[in-house]
Amino acid sequence: MFETKRTSNKSYTGNKVQDIQVLLERVLQKNHITEDINFKTISERFSEVVGPLLVDHVKPEKIDKNILVLKVANSALKFEMNLQKKAIIGKCNTLLGKPFIQGIRFV
């Protein structure tokens, strides 16, 4: 009784798997979920980044726009950590498996 007509034979996506991956990455970034996941990873394994001696004196506070915010116990240690900034960034990015952390701010 009813006849269904197909008006278009167009495909909306060329590669559905890639499109879903791109969409998922956009959603994660827009909602800051990627930052939350990376912060959790860094927080849980922070002793691997700064070592067992400093882990009690330096704590990750948050990641804000790819900047890792670290709370440091005192100004002398803050000065020392500032000298190690590039090494800490490198260790964090190695831990995450991607170049995510772009800088560090000490508070």
Side-chain angles (χ1 to χ4, degrees):
M1 187 169 202
F2 292 103
E3 189 176 312
T4 311
K5 279 190 171 180
R6 192 175 220 177
T7 58
S8 173
N9 221 5
K10 293 180 183 176
S11 175
Y12 292 106
T13 60
N15 186 346
K16 290 182 183 179
V17 174
Q18 183 179 6
D19 291 341
I20 291 171
Q21 182 179 358
V22 170
L23 178 63
L24 183 59
E25 287 175 6
R26 287 181 185 166
V27 169
L28 291 175
Q29 287 174 353
K30 182 177 181 181
N31 295 313
H32 303 285
I33 296 171
T34 303
E35 283 184 359
D36 294 341
I37 292 169
N38 290 337
F39 178 73
K40 183 171 173 49
T41 302
I42 289 172
S43 296
E44 289 174 350
R45 299 177 64 187
F46 196 62
S47 64
E48 296 174 38
V49 175
V50 295
L53 295 175
L54 295 177
V55 76
D56 292 333
H57 306 287
V58 182
K59 300 283 183 209
E61 287 288 306
K62 64 181 178 177
I63 296 175
D64 184 28
K65 299 176 185 168
N66 296 37
I67 305 295
L68 178 62
V69 179
L70 299 177
K71 185 172 184 176
V72 185
N74 58 55
S75 60
L77 190 54
K78 189 184 288 189
F79 178 78
E80 182 64 33
M81 297 297 292
N82 199 35
L83 297 175
Q84 299 296 322
K85 208 180 239 190
K86 286 184 182 179
I88 295 169
I89 292 170
K91 288 179 183 180
C92 288
N93 288 332
T94 299
L95 188 68
L96 296 172
K98 57 187 171 187
F100 184 79
I101 301 297
Q102 296 174 353
I104 296 179
R105 188 172 76 228
F106 300 105
V107 293

